[in-house]
Amino acid sequence: MNITDITEQDEKSPLIMQRADPYVYYHKDGYYYFTASAPEYDRIELRRAWSVKALADAQPLTIWRKHAQGPMSWHIWAPELHYINGKWFIYFAAGQAEDPWYIRTWILENDSPDPFCGEWKEKGMLISEWDSFMLDTTVFENAGKWYAAWAQKSKERTENSCLYIAEMITPYTLKLPQTLLTRPEYDWECRGFKVNEGPSVLKRNGKIFLTYSASATDSTYCMGMLVADEKADLLNASSWKKESKPVFCTDEKAGIYGPGHNSFTTSRDGKEDYLIYHARPYAEVDLAFALYDPNRHTWVKRIRYDERGYPMFK
């Protein structure tokens, strides 16, 4: 194993402290790029390094700060960095100072080959089929088409958030209508709050694995998973099979509490897949203030696969 690869020892302690909702992207320039929610929820940072491990010591660069008022002025959450058709995009969630929970998805764009250079331009809000609480947007390509998946409060508003998918016309325009992928239904998805959020996509073994996070942001937080064939119609809800049990949850023995809101990346040779996720190192947290406890740290885990070719996260 190369010294830059992730070992079992690396999995036993946090990679980056006080960074929730972590996103790691391995680009063709050889860099691993990292972004996440800063504990102050007031800015978007990027850092990069030649290995996942080295991200721990990489110097963060603030590329955007929240507005003083109005849209994008509060709760700057869960940024993701994507490279689409020769341009860089960041999808992130934000509220506003006058209404902190008016959370919607917003987009930044940069046409510089180097995302640490150039200008990050605000491209506006991602518009879905109806206007409601919306966050944790991720995008991915399959069979030449780009898709967005995100969390949103349903029209019926009976849950805190469900997961939806839609094809993309442009990197900042959805092709509607959207498709419901999953809503909280099992006990492990409804502890504290009825939540499905934080979708992330892993493509391997002819399948598309879409993980997501469920329940409140305390030690009950956990990961679920949907599975579809990569040749299926991804906009048809019946193409997706939902696992009835969480695929990753609190591990007291390992000192990992409330794991979730993950992303995926690979080793440099592409042979290993890595789970990048956040978790706390302790269980005790006041649910009313859980989002403002800064100690959700970024962790990394090498993914193993079972006999079906499905990822194992435990």
Side-chain angles (χ1 to χ4, degrees):
M1 179 173 287
N2 190 291
I3 59 172
T4 63
D5 291 339
I6 300 302
T7 67
E8 289 188 8
Q9 188 62 38
D10 296 322
E11 299 176 3
K12 294 180 179 180
S13 58
L15 174 71
I16 300 174
M17 306 297 286
Q18 294 191 342
R19 288 298 183 271
D21 315 319
Y23 190 84
V24 173
Y25 168 63
Y26 181 45
H27 191 48
K28 61 184 180 181
D29 64 3
Y31 278 116
Y32 286 90
Y33 288 87
F34 174 87
T35 189
S37 296
E40 298 83 5
Y41 298 151
D42 65 349
R43 65 192 185 276
I44 296 176
E45 298 175 338
L46 293 180
R47 64 176 77 185
R48 63 183 173 189
W50 291 110
S51 71
V52 172
K53 291 182 185 181
L55 287 169
D57 299 316
Q59 184 67 30
L61 172 70
T62 298
I63 59 99
W64 181 89
R65 289 190 179 274
K66 70 177 184 178
H67 293 194
Q69 59 187 8
M72 298 181 285
S73 61
W74 206 262
H75 283 156
I76 309 304
W77 288 346
E80 289 196 5
L81 176 70
H82 294 271
Y83 189 73
I84 306 172
N85 299 330
K87 294 183 180 182
W88 295 96
F89 294 88
I90 289 178
Y91 299 84
F92 66 102
Q96 50 194 32
E98 301 83 357
D99 185 357
W101 299 104
Y102 188 85
I103 304 290
R104 301 295 186 271
T105 292
W106 299 84
I107 306 166
L108 305 177
E109 179 190 82
N110 189 340
D111 60 9
S112 169
D114 183 348
F116 277 53
C117 301
E119 179 185 359
W120 283 97
K121 300 177 182 178
E122 297 174 2
K123 301 300 291 187
M125 190 169 72
L126 188 65
I127 305 299
S128 65
E129 193 174 341
W130 59 88
D131 185 44
S132 66
F133 182 87
M134 178 182 177
L135 72 169
D136 297 349
T137 297
T138 193
V139 303
F140 67 98
E141 182 274 335
N142 189 59
K145 296 181 179 180
W146 281 90
Y147 298 87
W150 68 93
Q152 186 173 5
K153 188 177 286 290
S154 67
K155 285 183 178 179
E156 301 79 15
R157 300 179 185 268
T158 51
E159 305 92 359
N160 296 92
S161 60
C162 304
L163 291 188
Y164 297 89
I165 190 172
E167 191 179 336
M168 305 189 80
I169 300 172
T170 72
Y172 30 81
T173 309
L174 299 176
K175 184 178 180 180
L176 301 173
Q178 61 204 52
T179 299
L180 173 67
L181 286 178
T182 171
R183 64 191 338 138
E185 56 184 312
Y186 297 114
D187 172 71
W188 54 270
E189 298 177 293
C190 301
R191 295 173 181 169
F193 298 103
K194 295 180 179 180
V195 168
N196 284 174
E197 66 180 14
S200 187
V201 170
L202 171 66
K203 297 169 64 176
R204 184 69 78 176
N205 302 326
K207 302 289 185 182
I208 298 178
F209 303 98
L210 189 149
T211 57
Y212 63 94
S213 299
S215 289
T217 55
D218 56 8
S219 62
T220 66
Y221 205 54
C222 60
M223 281 171 48
M225 188 170 74
L226 304 171
V227 185
D229 189 278
E230 65 179 4
K231 296 181 180 180
D233 178 2
L234 302 185
L235 301 180
N236 186 336
S238 64
S239 297
W240 297 89
K241 177 186 175 183
K242 181 176 179 176
E243 298 292 294
S244 62
K245 296 181 180 179
V247 294
F248 193 26
C249 52
T250 289
D251 184 342
E252 295 184 6
K253 185 176 180 180
I256 295 171
Y257 296 87
H261 203 123
N262 69 285
S263 61
F264 297 104
T265 193
T266 69
S267 57
R268 295 189 70 86
D269 61 10
K271 295 180 179 179
E272 297 279 359
D273 292 315
Y274 300 145
L275 172 73
I276 313 293
Y277 67 99
H278 78 229
R280 288 191 182 87
Y282 50 80
E284 297 76 19
V285 61
D286 184 341
L287 182 56
F289 299 98
L291 283 173
Y292 308 104
D293 177 331
N295 294 317
R296 290 185 294 172
H297 307 320
T298 295
W299 302 62
V300 59
K301 179 184 287 288
R302 185 162 56 94
I303 298 173
R304 288 77 169 173
Y305 289 86
D306 65 17
E307 65 281 356
R308 301 174 299 168
Y310 280 36
M312 297 187 295
F313 306 111
K314 300 177 182 180

